[in-house]
Amino acid sequence: SQQGEEDPQALSIQEGENATMNCSYKTSINNLQWYRQNSGRGLVHLILIRSNEREKHSGRLRVTLDTSKKSSSLLITASRAADTASYFCATAGTGANNLFFGTGTRLTVIP
Amino acid sequence: DTGVSQDPRHKITKRGQNVTFRCDPISEHNRLYWYRQTLGQGPEFLTYFQNEAQLEKSRLLSDRFSAERPKGSFSTLEIQRTEQGDSAMYLCASSARGLAGSYEQYFGPGTRLTVT
């Protein structure tokens, strides 16, 4: 079974707006990663945040992590049509070698 | 191209046939993973190799599935006696040790299997 749960399941915004996606998980983690997947393709790694970090930035992406609430958020600022994709959070548990993925948020950016 | 590659990209097979997929990881990565993804879901872990050793297998990996990484480089995933429920995207990923023991996984484009 998958550990993570993303919210919302689908999000539709206008180009230029910000998009926020949330992820909740159930057990202790070593790190949390966000991935993007365009329709029918492989996953692209976006950003990794370790359990002792609270916030991380990469370009237009901002990720936060609250281990006390077992939750993370991904903010995409100034969205573009090319950001249209599914976004997944994935957790790596302490001592675990695999990732547990959520069900994803389907983001649509309308030009 | 130095990313993870998978072959074939698409495979259509009849129920009961055997299929084999190949994954070539990023060359300096010692870890290799197989995942399965069905429509509308996130990837689910199947198995993991460190070099040539298969160190972990999911309960999803029934005895009809076998994976190898004979020389610690490329890997193959074989499904015997395919069933319609095996229809999915099979994803391969590789990683190397990063900061503080974290492993960023880099995914290939996947092999989409359709069992008719």
Side-chain angles (χ1 to χ4, degrees):
Chain A
S1 63
Q2 294 172 335
Q3 179 179 220
E5 293 287 339
E6 282 94 340
D7 172 61
Q9 291 187 339
L11 179 61
S12 184
I13 59 173
Q14 296 289 329
E15 198 166 32
E17 294 181 338
N18 296 342
T20 299
M21 289 159 268
N22 302 297
C23 168
S24 60
Y25 58 92
K26 297 176 183 175
T27 61
S28 297
I29 62 170
N30 175 279
N31 64 75
L32 185 146
Q33 304 179 35
W34 284 90
Y35 287 83
R36 183 185 74 225
Q37 186 177 39
N38 291 88
S39 181
R41 299 191 176 184
L43 288 89
V44 174
H45 183 270
L46 295 177
I47 196 164
L48 180 152
I49 185 165
R50 295 193 296 274
S51 59
N52 62 351
E53 296 177 312
R54 293 296 167 257
E55 187 171 315
K56 205 162 182 181
H57 297 254
S58 177
R60 295 185 294 113
L61 306 180
R62 173 179 170 255
V63 169
T64 62
L65 179 64
D66 186 335
T67 53
S68 67
K69 295 181 179 178
K70 292 186 168 58
S71 67
S72 174
S73 67
L74 171 67
L75 168 67
I76 303 174
T77 60
S79 63
R80 304 167 181 169
D83 295 330
T84 295
S86 291
Y87 291 81
F88 294 91
C89 70
T91 54
T94 304
N97 297 301
N98 53 290
L99 293 174
F100 290 96
F101 284 83
T103 51
T105 292
R106 175 69 189 169
L107 173 66
T108 302
V109 181
I110 302 167
Chain B
D1 182 17
T2 57
V4 178
S5 62
Q6 291 186 247
D7 182 68
R9 294 289 305 276
H10 303 273
K11 178 70 176 179
I12 300 174
T13 191
K14 292 184 178 180
R15 189 176 55 187
Q17 297 294 306
N18 298 345
V19 294
T20 300
F21 310 139
R22 176 181 170 122
C23 170
D24 287 89
I26 294 171
S27 58
E28 61 268 27
H29 287 182
N30 64 339
R31 294 188 169 201
L32 186 147
Y33 312 79
W34 285 98
Y35 292 83
R36 181 175 71 186
Q37 185 179 25
T38 53
L39 198 62
Q41 300 295 315
E44 294 179 292
F45 170 74
L46 292 178
T47 190
Y48 146 73
F49 290 84
Q50 181 162 311
N51 300 313
E52 67 276 7
Q54 187 175 19
L55 298 184
E56 198 167 336
K57 291 195 290 186
S58 161
R59 284 172 291 179
L60 293 174
L61 211 67
S62 75
D63 56 7
R64 295 185 298 105
F65 288 69
S66 63
E68 295 182 344
R69 195 183 183 198
K71 297 181 180 178
S73 56
F74 73 92
S75 174
T76 58
L77 177 68
E78 180 183 18
I79 309 174
Q80 296 182 327
R81 305 181 303 282
T82 53
E83 302 172 356
Q84 287 186 322
D86 297 332
S87 295
M89 175 80 88
Y90 289 84
L91 295 163
C92 175
S94 69
S95 70
R97 186 180 180 89
L99 294 175
S102 61
Y103 291 84
E104 296 179 9
Q105 295 187 21
Y106 294 86
F107 282 79
T111 294
R112 182 169 295 283
L113 173 66
T114 302
V115 182
T116 61

